[in-house]
């Protein structure tokens, strides 16, 4: 990494707006080769201590008061260390104002410790030493939250590995983690940093989440579905020939929109000196709960299965009891069709299982008590509209997560080759 630029962005992200932005840098995972370098530590200390403190009316102030007196979490983060930690800079209250604190930097924060797992929303930064990039990614992704994350590196291979594995909604490379701009970096997180399907504010799909969609005709745009979708389509056409026209239109629409929109990265802003890629990442699973095995819509099953297959999401169907129609989804050898996994379980067992499942979406076919499937019971699992759509531009959104990746591609004005 370019240490000068990394320190600049680290301090700006941690202490700008007094660390109160939801995207503020509250933790830095630093390779020990850098962490144990006294020059780096001194440079970081000098940079943070040089920030101007002042009231909100002072235009030159970089660290202003927090909006309210610190709660118990921020107060602890500003005043108490955990075992093995030490202060690089100990925060101080300014002019006896309980809302105004100087920047604080905690050294040797341990993975899994209180500070690592608690967001304080204030001018305090914790440093976690790591052995290598793989360990840093593992620690970064271990969080139940996933709003923003950043990387400073000049190694293209390191950047590529991190881009493919980071589990956040807004990812930043060689720049600060704050300051998202509408369209350039549509804003919104993953995991418990979002509610509902998770379309990003300022992105191309946000308005779609505020609408109820109904289908008045079959989609007209046609593309090439995946081989797995074509195989399932062939079997479904034999099973429910009366639905063949809609299933064929859906498969072609899913293929069209996957190839045109969802499988590629987009940079509509085209800013010189930076890239701002908007892209989609497949969710790990989609679950359909069928409450009554005697009233099953095979066309709906087929649409969901083909959509999941097109994007690469695992499709699972939960049913309360065995049913004769399950045999329709088995081949001559007794194996289930690719794309269909059935789990026979009662509702209580399903709810217990959902508590441990992360990152997916679900639908429920049939009547159910909303409390039974509330976030307090199953966690942050979005429950989608029951009726799947044949239009891939809308339907495929339910099986994908959106991600913004913003990268500075110059150093001091010199564009990377």
């Amino acid at each position: 990494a370019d240490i000068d630029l990394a320190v600049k962005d680290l301090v700006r992200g941690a202490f700008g707006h007094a660390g109160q932005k939801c995207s503020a840098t509250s933790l830095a995972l630093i390779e020990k080769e850098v962490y144990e370098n006294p020059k780096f530590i001194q440079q970081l200390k000098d940079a943070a201590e040089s920030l101007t403190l002042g009231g909100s009316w002072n235009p030159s102030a970089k660290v202003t008061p927090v909006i309210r007196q610190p709660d118990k979490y921020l107060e602890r983060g500003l005043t108490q260390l955990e075992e093995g930690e030490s202060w690089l800079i100990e925060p101080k209250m300014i002019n006896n104002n309980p809302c105004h604190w100087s920047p604080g930097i905690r050294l040797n924060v341990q993975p899994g410790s209180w500070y690592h797992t608690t967001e304080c929303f204030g001018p305090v930064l914790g440093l976690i030493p790591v052995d290598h990039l793989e360990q840093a990614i593992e620690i970064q992704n271990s969080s139940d939250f996933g709003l923003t994350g950043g990387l400073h590196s000049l190694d293209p291979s390191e950047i590529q590995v991190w881009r493919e594995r980071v589990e956040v909604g807004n990812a930043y490379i060689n720049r600060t983690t704050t300051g998202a701009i509408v369209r350039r970096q549509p804003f919104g997180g993953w995991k418990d940093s979002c509610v509902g399907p998770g379309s990003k504010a300022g992105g191309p799909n946000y308005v779609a989440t505020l609408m109820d969609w109904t289908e008045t005709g079959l989609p007209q745009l046609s593309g090439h579905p995946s081989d797995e979708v074509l195989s399932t389509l062939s079997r479904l056409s034999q099973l429910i020939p009366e639905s063949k026209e809609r299933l064929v239109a859906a498969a072609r629409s899913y293929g069209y929109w996957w190839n045109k929109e969802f499988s590629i990265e987009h940079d509509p802003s085209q800013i010189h000196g930076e890239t701002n890629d908007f892209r989609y990442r497949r969710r790990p699973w989609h679950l359909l709960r069928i409450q009554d095995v005697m009233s099953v819509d095979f066309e709906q099953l087929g649409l969901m299965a083909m959509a999941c297959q097109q994007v690469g999401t695992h499709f699972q169907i939960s049913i309360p009891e065995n049913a004769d129609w399950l045999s329709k989804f088995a081949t001559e050898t007794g194996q289930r069709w690719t794309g269909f996994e059935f789990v026979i379980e009662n509702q209580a067992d399903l709810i217990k299982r959902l508590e441990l499942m992360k990152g997916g979406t679900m639908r429920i076919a049939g009547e159910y008590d909303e409390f039974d499937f509330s976030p307090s019971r199953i966690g942050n699992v979005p429950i989608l509209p029951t009726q799947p759509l044949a239009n891939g531009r809308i339907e495929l959104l339910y099986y994908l997560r959106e991600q913004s990746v913003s990268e500075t591609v110059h150093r001091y004005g010199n564009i990377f080759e």
Side-chain angles (χ1 to χ4, degrees):
D2 184 315
I3 299 301
D4 292 342
L5 293 177
V7 167
K8 174 181 73 71
D9 289 338
L10 187 57
V11 168
R12 179 182 173 189
F15 304 118
H17 302 271
Q20 297 172 101
K21 276 182 171 276
C22 54
S23 56
T25 307
S26 57
L27 286 164
L29 297 100
I30 303 173
E31 287 196 70
K32 288 182 179 178
E33 181 181 355
V34 177
Y35 181 87
E36 295 172 354
N37 186 335
K39 292 183 178 179
F40 165 75
I41 293 297
Q42 187 62 48
Q43 188 173 354
L44 179 60
K45 183 174 185 291
D46 291 344
E49 290 181 330
S50 69
L51 297 173
T52 302
L53 309 179
S56 302
W57 58 88
N58 183 349
S60 64
K62 299 298 184 183
V63 183
T64 54
V66 294
I67 62 171
R68 63 175 64 91
Q69 189 166 332
D71 60 17
K72 63 180 181 180
Y73 303 109
L74 178 54
E75 182 180 13
R76 179 174 171 177
L78 290 166
T79 60
Q80 299 179 44
L81 293 172
E82 306 303 304
E83 183 177 356
E85 296 178 358
S86 61
W87 290 113
L88 175 60
I89 306 174
E90 185 174 1
K92 302 294 183 183
M93 188 185 299
I94 307 300
N95 297 328
N96 293 319
N97 181 352
C99 294
H100 200 187
W101 291 77
S102 63
I105 300 179
R106 306 163 73 105
L107 294 174
N108 201 39
V109 174
Q110 295 302 302
S113 65
W114 177 86
Y115 186 78
H116 173 213
T117 58
T118 306
E119 192 154 20
C120 292
F121 282 106
V124 58
L125 169 68
L127 307 187
I128 299 179
V130 297
D131 294 323
H132 43 69
L133 178 65
E134 292 290 325
Q135 184 186 15
I137 294 174
E138 181 179 349
I139 295 171
Q140 184 177 55
N141 289 344
S142 69
S143 174
D144 290 334
F145 298 90
L147 182 57
T148 57
L151 171 73
H152 256 276
S153 175
L154 299 178
D155 185 335
S157 62
E158 287 188 347
I159 292 173
Q160 184 62 29
V161 167
W162 187 81
R163 277 179 61 105
E164 293 307 309
R165 293 179 53 188
V166 63
E167 296 176 0
V168 296
N170 283 66
Y172 298 104
I173 302 168
N174 293 326
R175 52 155 289 169
T176 183
T177 61
T178 58
I181 297 174
V182 169
R183 178 169 159 159
R184 289 191 202 176
Q185 301 101 21
F187 198 67
W190 286 13
K191 298 187 274 192
D192 285 347
S193 290
C194 75
V195 176
S199 290
K200 287 172 162 294
N205 305 306
Y206 187 65
V207 174
T209 64
L210 309 178
M211 304 176 69
D212 293 322
W213 295 92
T214 56
E215 191 172 295
T216 60
L218 296 179
Q220 300 301 305
L221 296 174
S222 179
H224 297 288
S226 67
D227 291 342
E228 292 80 7
V229 171
L230 289 174
S231 176
T232 295
L233 176 62
S234 175
R235 292 175 178 271
L236 288 169
S237 298
Q238 299 173 22
L239 176 64
I240 43 175
E242 67 277 10
S243 300
K244 181 176 180 180
E245 182 182 10
R246 185 169 183 235
L247 292 171
V248 169
R252 291 174 176 173
S253 179
Y254 295 167
Y256 176 87
W257 285 110
W258 174 253
N259 295 316
K260 180 178 177 61
E261 171 69 20
F262 297 116
S263 65
I264 57 179
E265 298 186 1
H266 309 267
D267 184 1
S269 300
Q270 295 292 312
I271 303 298
H272 190 60
E274 66 182 42
T275 59
N276 294 290
D277 293 323
F278 179 83
R279 64 184 186 178
Y280 303 86
R281 315 301 279 173
R282 63 177 57 90
R283 289 183 177 272
W285 53 269
H286 178 72
L287 185 144
L288 171 66
R289 172 63 175 182
I290 299 175
Q291 297 289 71
D292 181 3
V293 296
M294 301 306 294
S295 58
V296 177
D297 189 324
F298 295 121
E299 185 178 287
Q300 287 190 18
L301 294 188
L303 291 174
M304 294 180 209
M306 291 193 301
C308 285
Q309 287 178 317
Q310 185 63 68
V311 306
T313 292
H314 179 67
F315 182 43
Q316 190 176 94
I317 302 168
S318 170
I319 54 179
E321 57 185 313
N322 205 342
D324 293 340
W325 53 262
L326 279 177
S327 61
K328 297 180 180 181
F329 292 90
T331 63
E332 293 79 1
T333 60
Q335 300 297 316
R336 297 296 179 196
W337 291 9
T338 301
F340 290 82
E341 180 191 0
F342 292 91
V343 178
I344 301 173
E345 59 191 342
N346 61 38
Q347 183 169 293
D349 289 339
L350 170 61
I351 290 172
K352 289 181 181 179
R353 195 159 62 89
L354 286 170
E355 292 175 356
L356 305 175
M357 297 171 66
K358 304 291 185 180
T361 55
M362 71 175 295
R363 286 180 164 105
I364 304 175
E367 296 182 359
Y368 67 97
D369 187 331
E370 291 187 2
F371 174 76
D372 290 338
F373 291 94
S374 65
S376 63
R377 301 292 303 280
I378 66 173
N380 189 11
V381 178
I383 299 179
L384 307 176
T386 302
Q387 299 289 337
L389 300 173
N391 189 301
R393 184 61 181 86
I394 304 300
E395 181 63 23
L396 295 189
L397 289 173
Y398 297 134
Y399 312 92
L400 299 165
R401 292 185 283 199
E402 300 176 7
Q403 190 175 54
S404 300
V405 184
S406 182
E407 179 178 357
T408 299
V409 293
H410 73 86
R411 286 179 73 195
Y412 310 104
N414 298 309
I415 302 295
F416 294 159
E417 296 294 336

